């Protein structure tokens, strides 16, 4: 066992070194070419404002400031701040790598393969990992998920709340965490979990609220007022209709992104948030249905529960991404930890292969979209019909991934899944 653990640690160091080299290359390219940085142009001004004694009005929940201001405590020059931010992202990448290895070991999966998949997907999203702060809520959510499956429930809900106060999307997983407890009529853990989630959010918000109540809740009104973002699923379908000559639209820059405006986009945009919430509720209902049917069919095993839990988590995040009115490229980072988790459950090899292939395709098209629509076209009005078809292709891949995971989880409650070894008796229901 000691030899095996040493081998895992050595592999972690190798993957960590590879990621560190990729970071160094990225920072060198940015520095030498003068490429604009969201970290420098977007986050550093917020950090400076906080250092000068004011609570900035941001589009992010208040705990995001912890990650935005931390590098600023040590450096103030723009490139130094960007490099320090990248170091912080590397630390969180390594935390994710360690958690992935632990999850793979717990479910009798190949730890080397799990860590390799995690590293490869993060490397494919490297510019967004380093130039956005989305890796921080993603890894906080992964840590929370690990605590959930290892029965450290208090920490699971505390970390999920911290993640939601960093980026809003983890809050959509809160019902997914509660449903198994409700299903088992474990009202004590329902109340404890809900209480810890709410209490943690309250404690995070309270000091900001006392200092500047308007600034702390600015992110809520900011997102409610946003128009349809150009990369959103709805926008990509409007672009297709425009290409066919059935409608028209304009692209304007507002709310920190390129957005689609026009008669049809303006008419559709108000319905997208309700659509996203409806899709999320549908996932919750589907998850409860899966749990019920698996118990009725005598398939309520640890393996099946993890398939369903992982699938429900991915679907919830995909519902937020696919059906909302905003879909920024960095959002794809959110699904990486849960895609890797699904690779470690007892679904069959074919399902694992297609889920991974679809995820890689979504990332590749996201990078192509970024290169073509921002790098070549310059964004805004420069985005071409061809560029929008890349966005449409990416969004269609995400829809197919959503449908395929629904299919995979539904099939898992109809037949006994393949498993590498018998489930360990010490694994209990969550």
């Amino acid at each position: 066992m000691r030899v095996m653990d040493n081998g895992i640690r050595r592999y972690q160091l190798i993957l960590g070194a590879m990621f560190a080299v990729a970071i160094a290359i990225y920072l060198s390219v940015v520095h030498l070419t003068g490429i604009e940085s969201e970290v420098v142009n977007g986050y550093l001004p917020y950090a400076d404002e906080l250092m000068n004694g004011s609570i900035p009005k941001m589009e992010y929940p208040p705990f995001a400031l912890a990650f935005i201001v931390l590098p600023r405590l040590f450096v103030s020059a723009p490139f130094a701040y960007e490099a320090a931010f990248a170091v912080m992202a590397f630390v969180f990448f390594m935390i994710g790598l360690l958690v992935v290895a632990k999850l793979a070991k717990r479910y009798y999966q190949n730890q080397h393969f799990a860590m390799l998949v995690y590293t490869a997907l993060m490397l494919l999203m490297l510019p967004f990992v380093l130039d956005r702060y989305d890796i921080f809520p993603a890894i906080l959510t992964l840590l929370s998920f690990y605590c959930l499956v290892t029965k450290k429930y208090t920490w699971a809900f505390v970390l999920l709340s911290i993640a939601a106060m960093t980026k809003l999307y983890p809050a959509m997983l809160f019902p997914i965490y509660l449903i198994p407890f409700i299903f088992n009529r474990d009202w004590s853990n329902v109340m404890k979990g809900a209480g810890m989630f709410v209490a943690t959010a309250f404690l995070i918000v309270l000091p900001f609220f006392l200092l500047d109540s308007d600034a702390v809740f600015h992110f809520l009104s900011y997102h409610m007022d946003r128009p349809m973002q150009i990369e959103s699923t709805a926008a990509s379908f409007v672009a297709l209709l425009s290409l066919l000559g059935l409608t028209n639209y304009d692209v304007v820059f507002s709310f920190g992104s390129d957005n689609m405006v026009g008669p049809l986009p303006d008419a559709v945009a108000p319905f997208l948030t309700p659509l996203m919430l409806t899709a999320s509720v549908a996932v919750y209902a589907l998850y409860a249905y899966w749990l019920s049917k698996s118990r009725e069919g005598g398939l309520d095993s640890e393996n099946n529960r993890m398939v369903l839990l992982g699938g429900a988590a991915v679907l919830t995040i995909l519902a937020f991404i696919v059906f909302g009115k905003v879909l920024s490229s960095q959002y794809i980072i959110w699904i990486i930890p849960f895609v890797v988790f699904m690779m470690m459950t007892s679904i069959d090899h074919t399902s694992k292969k297609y889920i991974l292939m679809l995820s890689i395709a979504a990332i590749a098209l996201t990078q192509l979209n970024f290169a073509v629509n921002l790098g070549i076209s310059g964004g805004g009005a420069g985005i071409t019909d061809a560029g929008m078809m890349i966005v449409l292709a990416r969004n269609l891949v995400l829809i197919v991934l959503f449908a395929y995971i629904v299919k995979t989880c539904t099939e898992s409650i109809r037949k006994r899944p393949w498993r590498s070894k018998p489930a360990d008796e010490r694994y209990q229901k969550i």
Side-chain angles (χ1 to χ4, degrees):
M1 181 63 71
R2 186 182 299 274
V3 173
M4 184 178 296
D5 288 343
N6 288 339
I8 295 300
R9 284 195 289 270
R10 189 179 302 111
Y11 198 65
Q12 288 168 344
L13 290 174
I14 291 171
L15 293 177
M18 289 172 54
F19 202 81
V21 170
I23 291 175
I25 294 172
Y26 171 85
L27 290 174
S28 299
V29 171
V30 169
H31 181 63
L32 292 174
T33 60
I35 296 173
E36 288 193 3
S37 164
E38 179 69 19
V39 169
V40 171
N41 295 337
Y43 303 159
L44 182 56
Y46 289 143
D48 286 336
E49 192 173 345
L50 187 64
M51 293 293 288
N52 291 327
S54 299
I55 305 296
K57 287 188 174 182
M58 307 188 303
E59 61 269 38
Y60 316 119
F63 201 76
L65 275 172
F67 300 103
I68 289 173
V69 79
L70 183 59
R72 180 62 180 80
L73 296 176
F74 304 98
V75 295
S76 57
F79 184 72
Y81 176 84
E82 185 170 15
F85 192 92
V87 170
M88 191 166 57
F90 172 75
V91 170
F92 269 72
F93 163 80
M94 290 301 297
I95 293 171
L97 190 67
L98 295 173
V99 175
V100 163
K102 287 181 175 294
L103 285 169
K105 182 178 180 180
R106 179 177 177 84
Y107 296 111
Y108 304 113
Q109 301 299 309
N110 187 310
Q111 291 176 272
H112 293 83
F113 176 72
M115 291 189 292
L116 180 61
V117 170
Y118 167 80
T119 302
L121 294 179
M122 285 295 186
L123 281 172
L124 288 173
M125 287 294 291
L126 187 68
F128 300 104
V129 169
L130 300 181
D131 200 39
R132 303 293 190 276
Y133 82 99
D134 293 74
I135 190 172
F136 307 124
I139 300 306
L140 284 170
T141 305
L142 176 62
L143 280 168
S144 168
F145 197 76
Y146 176 75
C147 290
L148 182 69
V149 301
T150 55
K151 300 174 70 67
K152 299 177 178 67
Y153 299 138
T154 297
W155 279 110
F157 284 96
V158 167
L159 287 168
L160 185 68
S161 186
I162 294 172
M165 288 295 99
T166 304
K167 194 92 174 186
L168 193 57
Y169 82 91
M172 304 302 293
L173 292 171
F174 178 60
I176 296 296
Y177 279 39
L178 288 181
I179 285 171
F181 297 124
I182 296 172
F183 187 76
N184 292 322
R185 299 184 180 181
D186 185 354
W187 306 117
S188 175
N189 274 317
V190 169
M191 297 304 296
K192 286 179 183 177
M196 294 306 300
F197 183 86
V198 173
T200 302
F202 176 79
L203 291 175
I204 290 172
V205 168
L206 182 61
F208 294 97
F209 179 80
L210 294 176
L211 291 171
D212 191 338
S213 59
D214 290 334
V216 71
F217 292 118
H218 176 71
F219 75 97
L220 293 175
S221 59
Y222 180 94
H223 288 291
M224 286 189 292
D225 295 337
R226 291 185 72 165
M228 183 190 298
Q229 198 250 6
I230 196 71
E231 289 186 60
S232 67
T233 303
S236 61
F237 280 105
V238 171
L240 176 61
L241 293 175
S242 176
L243 183 62
L244 297 174
L246 300 176
T247 188
N248 58 78
Y249 66 89
D250 293 310
V251 178
V252 299
F253 185 84
S254 61
F255 294 86
S257 64
D258 288 323
N259 301 302
M260 181 179 285
V261 297
L264 184 57
D266 294 345
V268 170
F271 296 98
L272 294 180
T273 298
L275 175 63
M276 180 270 292
L277 293 173
T278 301
S280 299
V281 171
V283 172
Y284 305 152
L286 188 59
Y287 180 39
Y289 168 78
W290 286 334
L291 290 175
S292 176
K293 294 300 290 185
S294 66
R295 178 168 293 185
E296 289 177 9
L299 296 175
D300 188 25
S301 65
E302 171 73 8
N303 282 312
N304 259 2
R305 283 193 296 274
M306 291 305 103
V307 170
L308 301 180
L309 179 62
V314 179
L315 291 174
T316 300
I317 297 172
L318 282 173
F320 189 96
I321 293 172
V322 171
F323 299 106
K325 63 180 176 180
V326 178
L327 200 175
S328 295
S329 294
Q330 65 267 22
Y331 288 7
I332 307 301
I333 293 172
W334 304 350
I335 68 171
I336 290 176
F338 294 105
V339 166
V340 176
F341 180 78
M342 289 209 76
M343 297 297 101
M344 293 181 284
T345 62
S346 58
I347 57 176
D348 61 86
H349 291 296
T350 299
S351 295
K352 291 181 181 183
K353 180 179 70 174
Y354 284 118
I355 289 171
L356 183 58
M357 288 173 58
L358 287 167
S359 300
I360 292 173
I363 291 174
L365 288 166
T366 295
Q367 292 288 20
L368 183 60
N369 158 56
F370 188 76
V372 171
N373 290 327
L374 289 179
I376 297 176
S377 300
I383 297 176
T384 64
D385 289 336
M388 286 305 300
M389 291 307 99
I390 295 173
V391 176
L392 176 62
R394 190 273 310 278
N395 294 341
L396 286 174
V397 168
L398 291 175
I399 292 172
V400 172
L401 177 61
F402 185 97
Y404 191 81
I405 292 173
V406 170
K407 172 181 175 292
T408 298
C409 291
T410 301
E411 288 179 349
S412 76
I413 64 173
R414 293 176 178 169
K415 59 183 179 181
R416 292 194 179 276
W418 172 88
R419 61 180 66 176
S420 57
K421 292 184 180 180
D424 194 320
E425 291 179 358
R426 62 192 170 89
Y427 298 157
Q428 303 174 26
K429 295 179 182 179
I430 65 168

